[in-house]
Amino acid sequence: MKILIIGGTGLIGSKTAERLRKKGHEVIAASPNTGVNTITGEGLAQAVAGAQVVLDLANSPSFEDKAVLEFFETSGRNLLAAEAAAGVKHHIALSVVGTERLPRSGYLRAKMAQENLIRSSGIPYTIVHSTQFFEFLAGIAQSATVGETVHLPAVNFQPIASDDVADVMADVALAPPANGIVYIAGPERGRFTDIVARFLKAANDPRKVVADPHALYFGTELDDRSLVPEEGDNPRLGAIGFDQWFSQSARKS
């Protein structure tokens, strides 16, 4: 089967491509660097031609409210139009747990717009809602740092390893369309503050985490429901916990 991965050279895209190739599928890992641009349309028709499945794993280069909305709307429209013309049988997109619950976040409003385009496209689809990746803990801590302290809300948090995300994306690519949402999360749930503090301690980082209920995350305040699957979502849980992920990351670096 020919499978096109938009954002195929990124963190999740490259891992997903590797898994699908090992299963014997023809995988096109597309990105602007490989001559496929979903914003301008460059190379898109050629890349989509003959593909049965398309995975959209691309992310906006800017998280500013207007720019990120324009990215996901323009990219989504161009990609879905090319897929409709090519007769693609399954469109898959990676999105975020809590997208529909956090409308004050410009980034998540943009992801919601992307999802709405998919639902109205007429193409069979699966949307994967994932919790945050372990790989972004360092960036989260940095963005929340004030002086020598990291300000975060002490809400429920259930991060997942990118390898577990890629496993799911590869499985979804080979499964029938759900025409709905599949939820995935890490195997361990804790407090946002505690997990980031655990990461800083493991990394020998002297910064201290301060619980701040008004600290913003992607431009919005959070509550205990914001970043984790809800009861009834039946999330697929990853196999890699924090300790295993951190030891693997330390070996790679």
Side-chain angles (χ1 to χ4, degrees):
M1 185 161 61
K2 179 179 176 181
I3 300 171
L4 172 66
I5 303 180
I6 303 297
T9 59
L11 174 65
I12 305 299
S14 59
K15 292 174 182 283
T16 303
E18 177 186 17
R19 284 156 173 74
L20 290 169
R21 286 184 179 124
K22 284 182 177 178
K23 292 178 183 289
H25 299 283
E26 177 189 357
V27 179
I28 308 299
S31 71
N33 290 337
T34 67
V36 180
N37 191 316
T38 56
I39 299 299
T40 66
E42 177 192 3
L44 194 53
Q46 298 92 323
V48 173
Q52 288 95 340
V53 176
V54 174
L55 291 89
D56 186 1
L57 306 180
N59 207 355
S60 173
S62 169
F63 282 13
E64 186 274 325
D65 285 4
K66 183 180 178 183
V68 72
L69 180 62
E70 288 180 351
F71 176 87
F72 282 118
E73 287 190 331
T74 302
S75 177
R77 287 192 184 101
N78 289 341
L79 180 57
L80 290 164
E83 290 178 32
V88 168
K89 304 300 184 186
H90 190 184
H91 177 94
I92 301 161
L94 180 60
S95 193
V96 183
V97 163
T99 291
E100 72 283 4
R101 298 194 293 272
L102 297 171
R104 293 183 64 185
S105 165
Y107 181 81
L108 295 178
R109 285 198 304 273
K111 291 299 289 183
M112 196 75 246
Q114 178 192 32
E115 292 185 23
N116 288 336
L117 287 169
I118 293 166
R119 292 186 182 94
S120 63
S121 70
I123 299 170
Y125 71 92
T126 304
I127 296 170
V128 178
H129 271 201
S130 175
T131 56
Q132 184 58 274
F133 308 155
F134 281 125
E135 284 79 3
F136 292 157
L137 290 178
I140 289 168
Q142 186 58 41
S143 67
T145 294
V146 179
E148 289 301 312
T149 58
V150 179
H151 292 250
L152 293 168
V155 297
N156 285 325
F157 193 54
Q158 198 168 342
I160 186 170
S162 62
D163 281 318
D164 282 333
V165 178
D167 285 343
V168 171
M169 299 313 295
D171 289 348
V172 169
L174 303 179
N179 291 314
I181 297 174
V182 172
Y183 296 88
I184 62 175
E188 302 166 348
R189 180 177 292 196
R191 293 291 166 185
F192 201 178
T193 43
D194 294 341
I195 291 171
V196 173
R198 187 176 174 189
F199 167 74
L200 294 175
K201 182 178 180 181
N204 295 314
D205 190 313
R207 285 176 290 173
K208 301 300 181 185
V209 178
V210 174
D212 180 353
H214 301 298
L216 300 182
Y217 178 78
F218 283 103
T220 188
E221 291 188 5
L222 304 174
D223 62 31
D224 266 347
R225 299 172 55 244
S226 298
L227 301 181
V228 293
E230 295 198 287
E231 188 174 347
D233 287 343
N234 299 316
R236 173 170 166 174
L237 299 182
I240 301 171
F242 176 86
D243 290 334
Q244 182 183 350
W245 168 78
F246 189 85
S247 65
Q248 289 174 344
S249 298
R251 286 198 299 272
K252 290 176 183 175
S253 60

